Amino acid sequence: MREEERVRDRKTLEDFLVRNDIALIKVGFFKERYHKSKEDDSKRMLPRRNDIPLHQRLHGTRLRGLWTDASPPGGSRQLFAVSHAWLSVEHPDPTGLRLGALVEDLSWMKATDEDLIFFDYCSLFQNDHFHPDYEEGVPLPPGHEALRTETEEALFQTAKRYMDVIFASSMVKVLVMPEIYDIQKIMQSHGKLIRPLKQRYIERG
């Protein structure tokens, strides 16, 4: 890629991330979460972006200038984007199996704790499917605390519509995780309503 094309690609990616308030999460957060999950089952499910500590996520204007024109491709920090099949309707990885595989892949890629990841559940605004009202099947009115706000919903829909800006960028290393784990037996003792998704990765949109 020629220099002017690389600079244009970097600016396009940066503008997209900032404009749609997309969060990039530090690799160190995923590693820490995985190691804690070995002793605490409550840590096996990744949290929504608003529940990730501020020092572990970068978004908005904090992403401006993160990669400069003088930086090598990818800048001084590697940027990964994870393409994966959600394992349940409520959560992409309710058992932590995907998290363990992700940490292993990142280690193989020699990712440092300060490198960054786009992981949809953690990077985009999400509804809280584990809110008691959701679990009781109650229709939630607009403005309910378990739902994205109107602004968050608009950002979410735009980001989802133009995901190719991230996954096609020369700045990004894409990690494809197509495995579909059978979580039915594992989730029997989970204590939450989990609806497994078994459709193959290649068959999903």
Side-chain angles (χ1 to χ4, degrees):
M1 177 179 288
R2 293 182 301 178
E3 178 62 19
E4 59 267 28
E5 292 175 338
R6 186 176 68 80
V7 171
R8 185 166 58 249
D9 181 45
R10 176 195 57 76
K11 187 176 187 307
T12 297
L13 176 63
E14 183 181 273
D15 287 346
F16 179 73
L17 294 171
V18 173
R19 186 170 59 251
N20 294 291
D21 198 16
I22 295 171
L24 300 180
I25 314 302
K26 292 183 180 181
V27 166
F29 171 77
F30 291 88
K31 291 180 179 178
E32 179 182 345
R33 188 83 180 187
Y34 172 64
H35 292 304
K36 286 183 176 180
S37 72
K38 294 180 179 180
E39 299 180 356
D40 182 354
D41 283 348
S42 69
K43 303 296 184 183
R44 64 185 175 184
M45 287 202 305
L46 289 168
R48 296 181 303 154
R49 63 172 280 171
N50 288 349
D51 296 323
I52 296 175
L54 281 172
H55 71 279
Q56 296 283 26
R57 58 182 163 100
L58 278 68
H59 61 95
T61 55
R62 293 179 67 194
L63 294 175
R64 290 289 186 196
L66 197 61
W67 300 282
T68 66
D69 295 348
S71 299
S76 57
R77 284 176 165 174
Q78 294 187 90
L79 173 54
F80 301 93
V82 182
S83 177
H84 62 111
W86 279 43
L87 301 179
S88 76
V89 174
E90 293 75 21
H91 192 278
D93 183 29
T95 65
L97 290 171
R98 182 83 75 210
L99 175 59
L102 174 59
V103 169
E104 184 176 333
D105 286 351
L106 290 168
S107 177
W108 185 81
M109 296 287 289
K110 301 187 184 305
T112 70
D113 286 355
E114 293 298 309
D115 287 337
L116 300 170
I117 299 180
F118 170 83
F119 189 94
D120 55 3
Y121 188 76
C122 300
S123 296
L124 305 177
F125 294 106
Q126 303 291 337
N127 291 327
D128 182 5
H129 287 278
F130 296 117
H131 189 282
D133 289 351
Y134 247 125
E135 296 190 337
E136 292 175 9
V138 178
L140 303 182
H144 191 285
E145 62 181 2
L147 300 176
R148 287 182 285 261
T149 66
E150 185 175 341
T151 298
E152 290 172 349
E153 183 65 31
L155 292 169
F156 174 81
Q157 294 299 335
T158 301
K160 188 172 67 170
R161 190 176 305 120
Y162 298 105
M163 276 290 98
D164 58 295
V165 175
I166 294 176
F167 285 92
S169 173
S170 64
M171 305 283 290
V172 177
K173 296 180 179 180
V174 178
L175 297 178
V176 178
M177 309 188 76
E179 298 83 7
I180 304 297
Y181 303 104
D182 184 0
I183 63 172
Q184 191 68 56
K185 292 182 179 179
I186 301 175
M187 298 312 300
Q188 287 178 354
S189 61
H190 191 274
K192 293 183 181 294
L193 174 63
I194 296 291
R195 292 168 289 175
L197 293 171
K198 298 182 179 181
Q199 186 180 25
R200 293 189 306 163
Y201 171 86
I202 197 172
E203 297 171 343
R204 304 194 187 192

